[in-house]
Amino acid sequence: MNVADFAIADAALRGFRLVREQPRLLLALILFGVLVAAPGATAIDFSLARALPANFSLGAALQPRDPRQVADLATRLAPLWALTVAYDFLIFAIVASAVNRAVLRPADSAFGYLRLGADELRQLIVIVALFLVTLGVYIACLIPAFVVISAVTALARLSGAAPSAALLVAALLACLAVMIGVSLRLSLASPATFAAGRVIVARSWAMTGGRGWRILGTYALAAGLVVVVYFLGSSIILGLTAALGGGPDGARDLAGPPQTGGLAALVTPARGLYLVLSGVLSALIWPVAFAPAAAIFESLSRQAPSGWRQ
């Protein structure tokens, strides 16, 4: 490992170090998760559930008899879906800023590193831009892939052979690999933007060059840790809420919006406990998920070439 590189395990575990070394960050994230993130997500889910027709079935919706019903449903749900995406992006921007601040400016600990200002706005812009870029890359890859698949399928039919589904699967996987590769190259845009005080993507592309496998290994290890924390936390949450009342089936129902009872169903003791515990679980997961990119950027920036500081 050269002096301008990073340790995979150290970067992947940086979130756990933050939780241990920066209790202000953890407390702020817990309050944010309990008071803002979890209630907001629940309210949006509740609105989505109420916008769906009675006895809605996803399987039936995917095989509609009347295209007009699908168009009407999509028109009704589009604003709520857009609100869901916008809300998630805003939550991610606030949390990413807090984690970047804790890693890159540990002395700036006012309000538990959690703010709402110019840094958060720049993070929101970066998150939206990266989403659009990666989605665009995937679509741009699919277009020529489907052209080739259509041509091969046509030739196969002319020769009497059956079209191969494996070709479609291979094309989808290839485009997914391209999208992941681009995402890895741009994954340091968030901490780079935070450090520069302006939206910047090119620095991430320069810094990640030749380090794709190391970065992929770091994120894969961090993702595995997130899965472990999530399943352990979810098991505890389900156990506690089941013990409060409703049993296992009632506890699982709390994970979704209430089907009956209106707004009153949102303020039951079991659902209140579930929301609090879900907020705490999110606060434990966020540092583990967001800190690796900031840790990689911090390590690579220590002896960054002049081109990286543009």
Side-chain angles (χ1 to χ4, degrees), residues 2-5 207 211 297-306 308-309:
N2 60 56
V3 293
D5 225 316
M207 296 180 77
R211 295 181 172 88
F297 176 83
E298 180 190 38
S299 296
L300 297 182
S301 296
R302 289 172 183 166
Q303 297 191 24
S306 59
W308 292 0
R309 299 189 175 95

Side-chain angles (χ1 to χ4, degrees), residues 148-298:
V148 173
I149 291 172
S150 299
V152 172
T153 301
L155 291 174
R157 287 174 176 170
L158 288 175
S159 62
S164 175
L167 185 61
L168 176 60
V169 174
L172 294 175
L173 291 177
C175 290
L176 180 61
V178 172
M179 185 181 71
I180 291 175
V182 172
S183 299
L184 292 175
R185 294 298 303 272
L186 299 177
S187 63
L188 303 187
S190 171
T193 292
F194 183 87
R198 59 191 177 93
V199 176
I200 183 170
V201 176
R203 184 179 300 180
S204 175
W205 194 269
M207 296 180 77
T208 55
R211 295 181 172 88
W213 289 112
R214 295 183 63 80
I215 293 175
L216 178 60
T218 301
Y219 294 157
L221 178 56
L225 295 172
V226 166
V227 170
V228 171
V229 173
Y230 174 79
F231 277 107
L232 287 177
S234 297
S235 299
I236 294 173
I237 291 173
L238 289 176
L240 290 175
T241 51
L244 184 64
D249 292 337
R252 282 191 293 269
D253 290 341
L254 294 176
Q259 300 301 313
T260 59
L263 290 174
L266 289 175
V267 293
T268 62
R271 186 168 292 276
L273 176 63
Y274 179 84
L275 287 178
V276 170
L277 295 178
S278 296
V280 173
L281 178 58
S282 296
L284 294 173
I285 288 175
W286 285 329
V288 181
F290 285 95
I296 294 172
F297 176 83
E298 180 190 38

